[in-house]
Amino acid sequence: TLDTVVMAFLEGCTPEEIGEQYPSLQLPDIYLVIGYYLRHRDEVHTYLEERQQQASLIRQETEQRFNPMGIRDRLLARRN
């Protein structure tokens, strides 16, 4: 996704390293995504921030519905 490629690029990965990490991506496509990011930084950063906020909200809602405390013990108890 755009998110994945841009975040890896921002973490300092080269396009080739991104391709090694995500073999389903083709190198020319990675370069296109990075080029798009470089031409539209403000819009992409806004998009990424919105996605982070959405993910945080979904995580909070999920944790309210399904208490994560003790989940490992509950799952292990199911095995027996």
Side-chain angles (χ1 to χ4, degrees), residues 4-64:
T4 303
V5 173
V6 171
M7 293 306 293
F9 179 71
L10 292 175
E11 290 172 358
C13 292
T14 66
E16 290 76 11
E17 290 169 335
I18 295 170
E20 289 174 10
Q21 290 178 14
Y22 303 99
S24 63
L25 299 176
Q26 295 190 8
L27 193 56
D29 295 331
I30 296 168
Y31 274 99
L32 285 172
V33 170
I34 293 170
Y36 179 85
Y37 164 72
L38 293 173
R39 287 183 191 90
H40 301 92
R41 286 179 196 226
D42 292 339
E43 295 93 336
V44 172
H45 282 282
T46 299
Y47 165 78
L48 293 175
E49 288 172 10
E50 289 172 359
R51 296 271 294 173
Q52 262 186 331
Q53 290 172 356
Q54 289 174 344
S56 179
L57 181 62
I58 291 169
R59 187 178 309 108
Q60 289 172 0
E61 290 173 356
T62 301
E63 287 176 356
Q64 287 176 352

